[in-house]
Amino acid sequence: MTGQGAPIKVTLLGTGPAGGVPMLSAGWGDCDPDEPRNRRLRASILVEQSGRRLLVDSGPDVREQLLAVGVPGLDGVLYTHAHADHIHGIDELREVNRLIRGPLPIWGDEPTLHDLQQRFSYCFEGIDLATQPIFRPWLVPNLIQPRFTAVGVAVRAFAQDHGWATSWGFRIGNFAYSTDVLDLDEAAFAVLDGVTTWVVGCLTNTPHSTHAHVDKVIGWHQRVRPERTVLTHMGPSLDYGTLRRTLPEGLEPGYDGMVLEVA
């Protein structure tokens, strides 16, 4: 198992909402179209530690995202939940199977794994490499626990209120990821205690029924007190430049391709 203290590299592959930015229905909204950091693909991150690469969520843009950062290979995938903008790039994982010449392990809670196996059952069937090419994704499901290891990487998982659903946050070393979250309970804050870098979903400027908004995330930041809190899953009402100017110290908007180095 990789050491808890091993350095971590986190790449924000996508920092946008379910519809991305610009959004088909709302366009750029309040986002300046001339600011390239306002163009946002669907939310996902890549975590690298001790030579291992874990993708968190395989949304519709995952092929483009991995090509953009020059990382075709993965060791595993963590799923926060089974909403479409976090899973509908699952077929792109076939190319990862071709690279590793074998199955790819994934982790999720029981409802997420059930949903994936119901909707994409073909991804969970074995392939006989002696007689068949890798013609579809080949995934091996694993159930997340409060503490588990994913290809040798130590992970702590915590449940998050996502309005009418539950999503999962993940802590790896001093880094934590909390996308698609409306509220956090005391158990979640206990896991977050001591993190130095926290990436948090923040959809809008105003209260929302399923996602956190700016003022709520500011309150969380003041409670958890990481050195750095980075916003993700931002909708078209959240302009990058405006956020940079108005957020308190220690809080900043993320952008697609942003790299975070966490000791």
Side-chain angles (χ1 to χ4, degrees):
M1 185 172 66
T2 62
Q4 286 269 356
I8 301 165
K9 176 182 176 181
V10 179
T11 304
L12 306 190
L13 299 176
T15 56
V21 178
M23 191 177 288
L24 285 174
S25 60
W28 289 98
D30 295 324
C31 291
D32 178 1
D34 293 324
E35 168 53 75
R37 287 167 290 193
N38 278 327
R39 183 175 290 276
R40 301 168 183 144
L41 300 177
R42 269 58 76 92
S44 177
I45 62 171
L46 179 72
V47 180
E48 299 176 76
Q49 185 183 46
S50 300
R52 297 294 193 174
R53 291 170 173 162
L54 289 173
L55 177 71
V56 181
D57 292 333
S58 59
D61 304 312
V62 66
R63 172 185 172 275
E64 181 179 352
Q65 291 167 334
L66 292 175
L67 286 172
V69 298
V71 178
L74 301 170
D75 295 292
V77 184
L78 308 181
Y79 283 102
T80 60
H81 63 305
H83 286 172
D85 54 317
H86 295 264
I87 67 171
H88 274 192
I90 197 167
D91 278 294
E92 305 296 348
L93 299 179
R94 174 186 66 172
E95 295 302 309
V96 178
N97 292 124
R98 287 176 169 173
L99 276 173
I100 65 177
R101 295 295 300 164
L104 182 68
I106 68 169
W107 283 262
D109 68 359
E110 189 171 350
T112 297
L113 294 178
H114 175 77
D115 204 357
L116 291 173
Q117 290 170 308
Q118 288 292 308
R119 295 163 66 183
F120 307 101
S121 60
Y122 56 90
C123 295
F124 298 91
E125 299 171 3
I127 296 176
D128 182 359
L129 294 179
T131 60
Q132 295 177 298
I134 296 177
F135 60 98
R136 53 171 169 74
W138 181 8
L139 308 177
V140 176
N142 297 274
L143 189 64
I144 61 174
Q145 305 290 337
R147 295 177 183 264
F148 65 100
T149 59
V151 294
V153 176
V155 183
R156 297 182 69 183
F158 51 96
Q160 305 177 143
D161 180 359
H162 186 18
W164 55 80
T166 297
S167 65
W168 287 85
F170 299 113
R171 176 172 180 169
I172 299 173
N174 290 323
F175 169 77
Y177 184 61
S178 293
T179 191
D180 290 63
V181 53
L182 174 64
D183 278 310
L184 295 165
D185 62 16
E186 291 303 314
F189 282 117
V191 176
L192 289 164
D193 184 47
V195 297
T196 60
T197 303
W198 187 20
V199 175
V200 184
C202 182
L203 183 64
T204 64
N205 276 310
T206 56
H208 191 273
S209 61
T210 57
H211 291 269
H213 62 291
V214 171
D215 285 346
K216 179 172 282 190
V217 175
I218 290 173
W220 289 345
H221 172 75
Q222 292 170 342
R223 174 172 178 173
V224 176
R225 302 181 66 83
E227 296 173 7
R228 193 176 191 185
T229 297
V230 181
L231 306 187
T232 190
H233 208 287
M234 294 171 286
S237 67
L238 297 181
D239 173 68
Y240 179 86
T242 302
L243 290 170
R244 286 291 295 179
R245 291 190 300 272
T246 59
L247 287 173
E249 184 177 357
L251 259 168
E252 62 188 295
Y255 56 87
D256 293 15
M258 185 181 194
V259 175
L260 306 172
E261 302 283 353
V262 185

